[in-house]
Amino acid sequence: DTGVSQDPRHKITKRGQNVTFRCDPISEHNRLYWYRQTLGQGPEFLTYFQNEAQLEKSRLLSDRFSAERPKGSFSTLEIQRTEQGDSAMYLCASSPSPSGELFFGEGSRLTVL
Amino acid sequence: QQPVQSPQAVILREGEDAVINCSSSKALYSVHWYRQKHGEAPVFLMILLKGGEQKGHDKISASFNEKKQQSSLYLTASQLSYSGTYFCGTVNSGGSNYKLTFGKGTLLTVNP
C-alpha cells in the first residue's frame, strides 16, 4: 500500500497562469476528496467523487476550478487564470467507503506570484 | 455547516489532560477526528457513528452526543507527541453523500 500520492508537491506560478494537480488515491478506494488549506485553518471542502462521479462542488469555488476523475482512478484539479488568493495547500484524500476514514496525501502547495 | 471547535488553542505540560469540543448546528450522522502535525498531512484518529458512542485510542478517547450535536475529544496524561492541530470533521445526517466538513482546528501544544 503506497498511500495517497500527489503531484507536484510544490508549484510556483505567475498570476494568470493555469495549474493542474494530480492525485493518485489508494488502490480500490472509491471515494476521493479535494480540500484546500491555508495557514492556521482547517481543510476547506472543494469537491468530491464517488468513483468517477463528481458528487458536489463547493459553492465557494469559482468556475476557474475544475476537477475530474476519469475511470474512477486518479483525479486532477485544474485552476485556470490563477490569482494570488489561490495560494494554499491543496490536499487530496481517499476513503474505502463513503462513511470511512480519510487517508490524506502530503498535499500540493501552490504559490501564486 | 462548518463545525465549530473550542478552544482554538491549548497549552499543556506533559502529563496534563485536555478536552477539545466540536459542535454543529445541524443533525449529525458521524464525527471524525484527525491530528495534523506541522508540515504534514492530517492523520485519522477515530470515527464516531452513533449517538452516545464513545471510543478510545490509547490515552485519546472521544464521545459523541447525537442529541446535542456535539463531540468531545479527551486527551489524558498528554505526551509530547500529542502536540499538533486537532480537527473534527462532521457528516450531516439526512443526506446520502456523506460529505465530510472540517472545523478550523484546535492547536495543542504539550511542553516538557
Side-chain angles (χ1 to χ4, degrees):
Chain A
D1 185 356
T2 58
V4 178
S5 62
Q6 294 188 240
D7 183 71
R9 294 289 308 280
H10 303 275
K11 179 71 176 179
I12 300 174
T13 190
K14 293 183 179 180
R15 185 165 52 92
Q17 299 294 305
N18 300 342
V19 297
T20 299
F21 300 116
R22 176 181 170 122
C23 171
D24 286 273
I26 293 173
S27 178
E28 298 181 356
H29 278 196
N30 49 34
R31 180 60 67 100
L32 186 148
Y33 292 81
W34 284 101
Y35 290 91
R36 177 172 64 187
Q37 188 175 31
T38 53
L39 192 63
Q41 299 295 315
E44 176 192 10
F45 170 80
L46 295 180
T47 188
Y48 68 144
F49 293 85
Q50 179 69 27
N51 298 313
E52 66 274 12
Q54 187 174 21
L55 299 180
E56 185 178 333
K57 179 179 172 181
S58 171
R59 280 172 269 177
L60 298 175
L61 287 185
S62 71
D63 291 340
R64 298 184 297 107
F65 288 73
S66 62
E68 293 182 338
R69 193 184 182 194
K71 302 180 181 178
S73 56
F74 71 92
S75 177
T76 59
L77 175 69
E78 181 183 17
I79 308 173
Q80 296 181 328
R81 305 181 304 280
T82 52
E83 302 173 355
Q84 287 186 328
D86 297 332
S87 295
M89 177 72 83
Y90 290 83
L91 293 168
C92 175
S94 69
S95 178
S97 67
S99 58
E101 68 181 270
L102 269 59
F103 294 81
F104 281 88
E106 295 294 324
S108 293
R109 179 170 297 283
L110 173 65
T111 302
V112 182
L113 302 176
Chain B
Q1 190 166 342
Q2 180 181 39
V4 177
Q5 289 185 232
S6 64
Q8 290 185 323
V10 59
I11 300 174
L12 301 174
R13 287 195 180 275
E14 205 171 1
E16 293 181 337
D17 303 339
V19 180
I20 300 172
N21 299 303
C22 174
S23 64
S24 174
S25 59
K26 294 185 177 291
L28 297 176
Y29 170 78
S30 67
V31 179
H32 294 219
W33 286 97
Y34 293 79
R35 177 171 62 206
Q36 184 176 32
K37 293 184 179 286
H38 182 69
E40 299 180 6
V43 174
F44 171 79
L45 293 175
M46 63 189 78
I47 294 176
L48 300 106
L49 290 174
K50 299 177 183 178
E53 184 179 28
Q54 295 193 24
K55 278 193 172 181
H57 183 273
D58 194 10
K59 293 179 181 177
I60 300 175
S61 61
S63 63
F64 176 25
N65 187 322
E66 187 179 6
K67 289 183 179 179
K68 292 186 177 180
Q69 298 162 188
Q70 293 177 346
S71 177
S72 294
L73 185 71
Y74 306 94
L75 301 104
T76 58
S78 58
Q79 305 169 14
L80 296 177
S81 62
Y82 286 3
S83 292
T85 302
Y86 290 77
F87 296 102
C88 71
T90 55
V91 177
N92 294 337
S93 62
S96 60
N97 288 334
Y98 303 101
K99 184 178 80 173
L100 185 62
T101 304
F102 287 94
K104 292 187 175 183
T106 297
L107 177 60
L108 177 71
T109 304
V110 181
N111 293 319

mmCIF file of all heavy atoms in Angstrom, chain A residues 60-93:
data_model
loop_
_atom_site.group_PDB
_atom_site.id
_atom_site.type_symbol
_atom_site.label_atom_id
_atom_site.label_comp_id
_atom_site.label_asym_id
_atom_site.label_seq_id
_atom_site.Cartn_x
_atom_site.Cartn_y
_atom_site.Cartn_z
ATOM 1 N N LEU A 60 -18.240 27.874 -2.949
ATOM 2 C CA LEU A 60 -17.231 28.914 -2.785
ATOM 3 C C LEU A 60 -16.273 28.964 -3.967
ATOM 4 O O LEU A 60 -15.571 29.951 -4.166
ATOM 5 C CB LEU A 60 -16.442 28.655 -1.495
ATOM 6 C CG LEU A 60 -17.234 28.693 -0.197
ATOM 7 C CD1 LEU A 60 -16.347 28.304 0.962
ATOM 8 C CD2 LEU A 60 -17.832 30.084 0.023
ATOM 9 N N LEU A 61 -16.273 27.894 -4.747
ATOM 10 C CA LEU A 61 -15.341 27.826 -5.859
ATOM 11 C C LEU A 61 -15.895 28.536 -7.090
ATOM 12 O O LEU A 61 -17.064 28.366 -7.440
ATOM 13 C CB LEU A 61 -15.038 26.379 -6.229
ATOM 14 C CG LEU A 61 -14.166 25.581 -5.292
ATOM 15 C CD1 LEU A 61 -13.874 24.223 -5.898
ATOM 16 C CD2 LEU A 61 -12.881 26.312 -4.985
ATOM 17 N N SER A 62 -15.014 29.271 -7.723
ATOM 18 C CA SER A 62 -15.431 29.909 -8.969
ATOM 19 C C SER A 62 -15.322 28.897 -10.105
ATOM 20 O O SER A 62 -14.842 27.779 -9.933
ATOM 21 C CB SER A 62 -14.528 31.108 -9.257
ATOM 22 O OG SER A 62 -13.237 30.653 -9.620
ATOM 23 N N ASP A 63 -15.760 29.343 -11.263
ATOM 24 C CA ASP A 63 -15.684 28.477 -12.433
ATOM 25 C C ASP A 63 -14.254 28.251 -12.896
ATOM 26 O O ASP A 63 -14.029 27.463 -13.809
ATOM 27 C CB ASP A 63 -16.503 29.083 -13.575
ATOM 28 C CG ASP A 63 -17.998 29.044 -13.267
ATOM 29 O OD1 ASP A 63 -18.394 28.230 -12.403
ATOM 30 O OD2 ASP A 63 -18.754 29.818 -13.882
ATOM 31 N N ARG A 64 -13.302 28.929 -12.262
ATOM 32 C CA ARG A 64 -11.899 28.704 -12.647
ATOM 33 C C ARG A 64 -11.385 27.347 -12.163
ATOM 34 O O ARG A 64 -10.354 26.885 -12.606
ATOM 35 C CB ARG A 64 -11.016 29.826 -12.069
ATOM 36 C CG ARG A 64 -11.339 31.218 -12.575
ATOM 37 C CD ARG A 64 -10.350 32.252 -12.033
ATOM 38 N NE ARG A 64 -10.417 32.368 -10.580
ATOM 39 C CZ ARG A 64 -9.482 31.895 -9.753
ATOM 40 N NH1 ARG A 64 -8.419 31.267 -10.231
ATOM 41 N NH2 ARG A 64 -9.612 32.052 -8.450
ATOM 42 N N PHE A 65 -12.101 26.762 -11.226
ATOM 43 C CA PHE A 65 -11.692 25.476 -10.655
ATOM 44 C C PHE A 65 -12.489 24.346 -11.305
ATOM 45 O O PHE A 65 -13.721 24.423 -11.411
ATOM 46 C CB PHE A 65 -11.955 25.433 -9.151
ATOM 47 C CG PHE A 65 -11.028 26.275 -8.333
ATOM 48 C CD1 PHE A 65 -11.126 27.649 -8.332
ATOM 49 C CD2 PHE A 65 -10.042 25.676 -7.561
ATOM 50 C CE1 PHE A 65 -10.263 28.426 -7.576
ATOM 51 C CE2 PHE A 65 -9.182 26.435 -6.786
ATOM 52 C CZ PHE A 65 -9.301 27.816 -6.800
ATOM 53 N N SER A 66 -11.782 23.310 -11.700
ATOM 54 C CA SER A 66 -12.466 22.134 -12.230
ATOM 55 C C SER A 66 -11.709 20.886 -11.811
ATOM 56 O O SER A 66 -10.482 20.905 -11.655
ATOM 57 C CB SER A 66 -12.581 22.195 -13.751
ATOM 58 O OG SER A 66 -11.300 22.202 -14.345
ATOM 59 N N ALA A 67 -12.430 19.826 -11.596
ATOM 60 C CA ALA A 67 -11.821 18.570 -11.189
ATOM 61 C C ALA A 67 -12.431 17.437 -11.978
ATOM 62 O O ALA A 67 -13.606 17.486 -12.363
ATOM 63 C CB ALA A 67 -12.007 18.328 -9.690
ATOM 64 N N GLU A 68 -11.605 16.426 -12.198
ATOM 65 C CA GLU A 68 -12.062 15.245 -12.913
ATOM 66 C C GLU A 68 -11.514 13.998 -12.241
ATOM 67 O O GLU A 68 -10.480 14.044 -11.572
ATOM 68 C CB GLU A 68 -11.570 15.262 -14.368
ATOM 69 C CG GLU A 68 -12.150 16.350 -15.232
ATOM 70 C CD GLU A 68 -11.650 16.248 -16.666
ATOM 71 O OE1 GLU A 68 -10.587 15.633 -16.884
ATOM 72 O OE2 GLU A 68 -12.324 16.798 -17.553
ATOM 73 N N ARG A 69 -12.183 12.910 -12.475
ATOM 74 C CA ARG A 69 -11.692 11.613 -12.024
ATOM 75 C C ARG A 69 -12.094 10.570 -13.070
ATOM 76 O O ARG A 69 -13.010 9.769 -12.852
ATOM 77 C CB ARG A 69 -12.238 11.233 -10.653
ATOM 78 C CG ARG A 69 -11.497 10.048 -10.041
ATOM 79 C CD ARG A 69 -12.104 9.613 -8.722
ATOM 80 N NE ARG A 69 -11.323 8.515 -8.160
ATOM 81 C CZ ARG A 69 -11.731 7.746 -7.160
ATOM 82 N NH1 ARG A 69 -12.926 7.952 -6.607
ATOM 83 N NH2 ARG A 69 -10.973 6.771 -6.713
ATOM 84 N N PRO A 70 -11.399 10.587 -14.181
ATOM 85 C CA PRO A 70 -11.756 9.653 -15.253
ATOM 86 C C PRO A 70 -11.526 8.215 -14.818
ATOM 87 O O PRO A 70 -10.529 7.911 -14.153
ATOM 88 C CB PRO A 70 -10.800 10.049 -16.382
ATOM 89 C CG PRO A 70 -9.660 10.733 -15.711
ATOM 90 C CD PRO A 70 -10.223 11.410 -14.521
ATOM 91 N N LYS A 71 -12.490 7.387 -15.133
ATOM 92 C CA LYS A 71 -12.394 5.948 -14.843
ATOM 93 C C LYS A 71 -12.310 5.653 -13.349
ATOM 94 O O LYS A 71 -11.951 4.543 -12.959
ATOM 95 C CB LYS A 71 -11.198 5.313 -15.561
ATOM 96 C CG LYS A 71 -11.237 5.483 -17.071
ATOM 97 C CD LYS A 71 -10.030 4.835 -17.733
ATOM 98 C CE LYS A 71 -10.073 5.048 -19.237
ATOM 99 N NZ LYS A 71 -8.888 4.458 -19.912
ATOM 100 N N GLY A 72 -12.590 6.613 -12.526
ATOM 101 C CA GLY A 72 -12.627 6.361 -11.097
ATOM 102 C C GLY A 72 -11.294 6.032 -10.461
ATOM 103 O O GLY A 72 -11.257 5.451 -9.367
ATOM 104 N N SER A 73 -10.217 6.418 -11.114
ATOM 105 C CA SER A 73 -8.892 6.122 -10.527
ATOM 106 C C SER A 73 -8.267 7.420 -10.043
ATOM 107 O O SER A 73 -8.713 7.993 -9.051
ATOM 108 C CB SER A 73 -8.016 5.402 -11.539
ATOM 109 O OG SER A 73 -7.915 6.169 -12.736
ATOM 110 N N PHE A 74 -7.245 7.934 -10.741
ATOM 111 C CA PHE A 74 -6.601 9.167 -10.339
ATOM 112 C C PHE A 74 -7.539 10.342 -10.581
ATOM 113 O O PHE A 74 -8.535 10.242 -11.327
ATOM 114 C CB PHE A 74 -5.284 9.354 -11.083
ATOM 115 C CG PHE A 74 -5.453 9.687 -12.531
ATOM 116 C CD1 PHE A 74 -5.501 11.011 -12.955
ATOM 117 C CD2 PHE A 74 -5.575 8.687 -13.478
ATOM 118 C CE1 PHE A 74 -5.662 11.322 -14.299
ATOM 119 C CE2 PHE A 74 -5.751 8.979 -14.814
ATOM 120 C CZ PHE A 74 -5.795 10.304 -15.237
ATOM 121 N N SER A 75 -7.224 11.466 -9.973
ATOM 122 C CA SER A 75 -8.028 12.673 -10.145
ATOM 123 C C SER A 75 -7.106 13.849 -10.448
ATOM 124 O O SER A 75 -5.938 13.868 -10.038
ATOM 125 C CB SER A 75 -8.829 12.972 -8.882
ATOM 126 O OG SER A 75 -9.561 14.180 -9.008
ATOM 127 N N THR A 76 -7.633 14.816 -11.175
ATOM 128 C CA THR A 76 -6.905 16.058 -11.425
ATOM 129 C C THR A 76 -7.743 17.237 -10.975
ATOM 130 O O THR A 76 -8.979 17.215 -11.063
ATOM 131 C CB THR A 76 -6.550 16.219 -12.913
ATOM 132 O OG1 THR A 76 -7.754 16.200 -13.687
ATOM 133 C CG2 THR A 76 -5.606 15.128 -13.368
ATOM 134 N N LEU A 77 -7.051 18.253 -10.473
ATOM 135 C CA LEU A 77 -7.683 19.508 -10.088
ATOM 136 C C LEU A 77 -6.991 20.606 -10.879
ATOM 137 O O LEU A 77 -5.768 20.776 -10.777
ATOM 138 C CB LEU A 77 -7.519 19.758 -8.585
ATOM 139 C CG LEU A 77 -8.042 21.101 -8.052
ATOM 140 C CD1 LEU A 77 -9.573 21.143 -8.127
ATOM 141 C CD2 LEU A 77 -7.585 21.345 -6.617
ATOM 142 N N GLU A 78 -7.746 21.321 -11.692
ATOM 143 C CA GLU A 78 -7.173 22.381 -12.508
ATOM 144 C C GLU A 78 -7.684 23.730 -12.021
ATOM 145 O O GLU A 78 -8.867 23.891 -11.735
ATOM 146 C CB GLU A 78 -7.532 22.201 -13.990
ATOM 147 C CG GLU A 78 -6.909 23.287 -14.877
ATOM 148 C CD GLU A 78 -7.313 23.179 -16.343
ATOM 149 O OE1 GLU A 78 -8.302 22.480 -16.647
ATOM 150 O OE2 GLU A 78 -6.627 23.806 -17.178
ATOM 151 N N ILE A 79 -6.765 24.673 -11.959
ATOM 152 C CA ILE A 79 -7.123 26.046 -11.642
ATOM 153 C C ILE A 79 -6.696 26.901 -12.826
ATOM 154 O O ILE A 79 -5.519 26.939 -13.185
ATOM 155 C CB ILE A 79 -6.426 26.560 -10.364
ATOM 156 C CG1 ILE A 79 -6.641 25.593 -9.203
ATOM 157 C CG2 ILE A 79 -6.951 27.945 -9.998
ATOM 158 C CD1 ILE A 79 -5.846 25.949 -7.950
ATOM 159 N N GLN A 80 -7.658 27.557 -13.414
ATOM 160 C CA GLN A 80 -7.362 28.420 -14.560
ATOM 161 C C GLN A 80 -7.201 29.864 -14.097
ATOM 162 O O GLN A 80 -7.801 30.297 -13.117
ATOM 163 C CB GLN A 80 -8.492 28.328 -15.587
ATOM 164 C CG GLN A 80 -8.637 26.933 -16.199
ATOM 165 C CD GLN A 80 -9.752 26.885 -17.239
ATOM 166 O OE1 GLN A 80 -10.753 27.590 -17.130
ATOM 167 N NE2 GLN A 80 -9.568 26.050 -18.250
ATOM 168 N N ARG A 81 -6.382 30.604 -14.818
ATOM 169 C CA ARG A 81 -6.183 32.042 -14.546
ATOM 170 C C ARG A 81 -5.969 32.288 -13.058
ATOM 171 O O ARG A 81 -6.723 32.995 -12.392
ATOM 172 C CB ARG A 81 -7.379 32.839 -15.057
ATOM 173 C CG ARG A 81 -7.679 32.610 -16.534
ATOM 174 C CD ARG A 81 -8.852 33.422 -17.032
ATOM 175 N NE ARG A 81 -10.073 33.189 -16.268
ATOM 176 C CZ ARG A 81 -10.868 32.154 -16.428
ATOM 177 N NH1 ARG A 81 -10.581 31.220 -17.321
ATOM 178 N NH2 ARG A 81 -11.969 32.028 -15.701
ATOM 179 N N THR A 82 -4.914 31.695 -12.535
ATOM 180 C CA THR A 82 -4.680 31.733 -11.096
ATOM 181 C C THR A 82 -4.598 33.164 -10.568
ATOM 182 O O THR A 82 -4.149 34.095 -11.256
ATOM 183 C CB THR A 82 -3.382 31.001 -10.727
ATOM 184 O OG1 THR A 82 -2.312 31.504 -11.541
ATOM 185 C CG2 THR A 82 -3.529 29.510 -10.930
ATOM 186 N N GLU A 83 -5.025 33.302 -9.320
ATOM 187 C CA GLU A 83 -4.980 34.569 -8.597
ATOM 188 C C GLU A 83 -4.164 34.369 -7.325
ATOM 189 O O GLU A 83 -4.002 33.229 -6.849
ATOM 190 C CB GLU A 83 -6.397 35.024 -8.246
ATOM 191 C CG GLU A 83 -7.302 35.188 -9.453
ATOM 192 C CD GLU A 83 -8.745 35.468 -9.074
ATOM 193 O OE1 GLU A 83 -9.064 35.443 -7.859
ATOM 194 O OE2 GLU A 83 -9.555 35.697 -9.986
ATOM 195 N N GLN A 84 -3.680 35.453 -6.750
ATOM 196 C CA GLN A 84 -2.863 35.335 -5.545
ATOM 197 C C GLN A 84 -3.647 34.682 -4.411
ATOM 198 O O GLN A 84 -3.084 33.962 -3.580
ATOM 199 C CB GLN A 84 -2.342 36.707 -5.125
ATOM 200 C CG GLN A 84 -1.254 37.223 -6.049
ATOM 201 C CD GLN A 84 -0.627 38.513 -5.563
ATOM 202 O OE1 GLN A 84 -1.290 39.329 -4.936
ATOM 203 N NE2 GLN A 84 0.648 38.697 -5.856
ATOM 204 N N GLY A 85 -4.940 34.870 -4.379
ATOM 205 C CA GLY A 85 -5.781 34.260 -3.352
ATOM 206 C C GLY A 85 -5.899 32.755 -3.480
ATOM 207 O O GLY A 85 -6.408 32.102 -2.564
ATOM 208 N N ASP A 86 -5.420 32.210 -4.582
ATOM 209 C CA ASP A 86 -5.448 30.746 -4.753
ATOM 210 C C ASP A 86 -4.275 30.083 -4.051
ATOM 211 O O ASP A 86 -4.229 28.852 -3.949
ATOM 212 C CB ASP A 86 -5.402 30.389 -6.250
ATOM 213 C CG ASP A 86 -6.606 30.887 -7.016
ATOM 214 O OD1 ASP A 86 -7.691 31.028 -6.413
ATOM 215 O OD2 ASP A 86 -6.460 31.147 -8.231
ATOM 216 N N SER A 87 -3.315 30.864 -3.589
ATOM 217 C CA SER A 87 -2.151 30.302 -2.894
ATOM 218 C C SER A 87 -2.615 29.549 -1.653
ATOM 219 O O SER A 87 -3.298 30.109 -0.788
ATOM 220 C CB SER A 87 -1.177 31.409 -2.496
ATOM 221 O OG SER A 87 -0.626 32.031 -3.636
ATOM 222 N N ALA A 88 -2.247 28.284 -1.577
ATOM 223 C CA ALA A 88 -2.719 27.419 -0.493
ATOM 224 C C ALA A 88 -2.101 26.044 -0.667
ATOM 225 O O ALA A 88 -1.426 25.769 -1.651
ATOM 226 C CB ALA A 88 -4.246 27.301 -0.504
ATOM 227 N N MET A 89 -2.387 25.179 0.310
ATOM 228 C CA MET A 89 -2.062 23.766 0.181
ATOM 229 C C MET A 89 -3.314 23.055 -0.310
ATOM 230 O O MET A 89 -4.393 23.215 0.283
ATOM 231 C CB MET A 89 -1.638 23.192 1.532
ATOM 232 C CG MET A 89 -1.347 21.701 1.500
ATOM 233 S SD MET A 89 0.171 21.323 0.637
ATOM 234 C CE MET A 89 1.357 21.623 1.955
ATOM 235 N N TYR A 90 -3.173 22.284 -1.370
ATOM 236 C CA TYR A 90 -4.308 21.533 -1.907
ATOM 237 C C TYR A 90 -4.133 20.070 -1.511
ATOM 238 O O TYR A 90 -3.169 19.410 -1.899
ATOM 239 C CB TYR A 90 -4.406 21.718 -3.421
ATOM 240 C CG TYR A 90 -4.847 23.125 -3.765
ATOM 241 C CD1 TYR A 90 -3.925 24.167 -3.814
ATOM 242 C CD2 TYR A 90 -6.186 23.414 -3.950
ATOM 243 C CE1 TYR A 90 -4.334 25.470 -4.054
ATOM 244 C CE2 TYR A 90 -6.611 24.719 -4.207
ATOM 245 C CZ TYR A 90 -5.673 25.736 -4.249
ATOM 246 O OH TYR A 90 -6.090 27.029 -4.486
ATOM 247 N N LEU A 91 -5.059 19.607 -0.707
ATOM 248 C CA LEU A 91 -4.991 18.259 -0.152
ATOM 249 C C LEU A 91 -5.970 17.329 -0.858
ATOM 250 O O LEU A 91 -7.114 17.693 -1.112
ATOM 251 C CB LEU A 91 -5.352 18.273 1.337
ATOM 252 C CG LEU A 91 -4.397 18.982 2.286
ATOM 253 C CD1 LEU A 91 -5.045 19.148 3.656
ATOM 254 C CD2 LEU A 91 -3.096 18.213 2.415
ATOM 255 N N CYS A 92 -5.492 16.143 -1.133
ATOM 256 C CA CYS A 92 -6.342 15.095 -1.680
ATOM 257 C C CYS A 92 -6.452 13.997 -0.626
ATOM 258 O O CYS A 92 -5.497 13.722 0.111
ATOM 259 C CB CYS A 92 -5.737 14.543 -2.960
ATOM 260 S SG CYS A 92 -6.632 13.137 -3.667
ATOM 261 N N ALA A 93 -7.614 13.403 -0.524
ATOM 262 C CA ALA A 93 -7.819 12.303 0.419
ATOM 263 C C ALA A 93 -8.692 11.251 -0.249
ATOM 264 O O ALA A 93 -9.566 11.575 -1.049
ATOM 265 C CB ALA A 93 -8.462 12.799 1.708
#
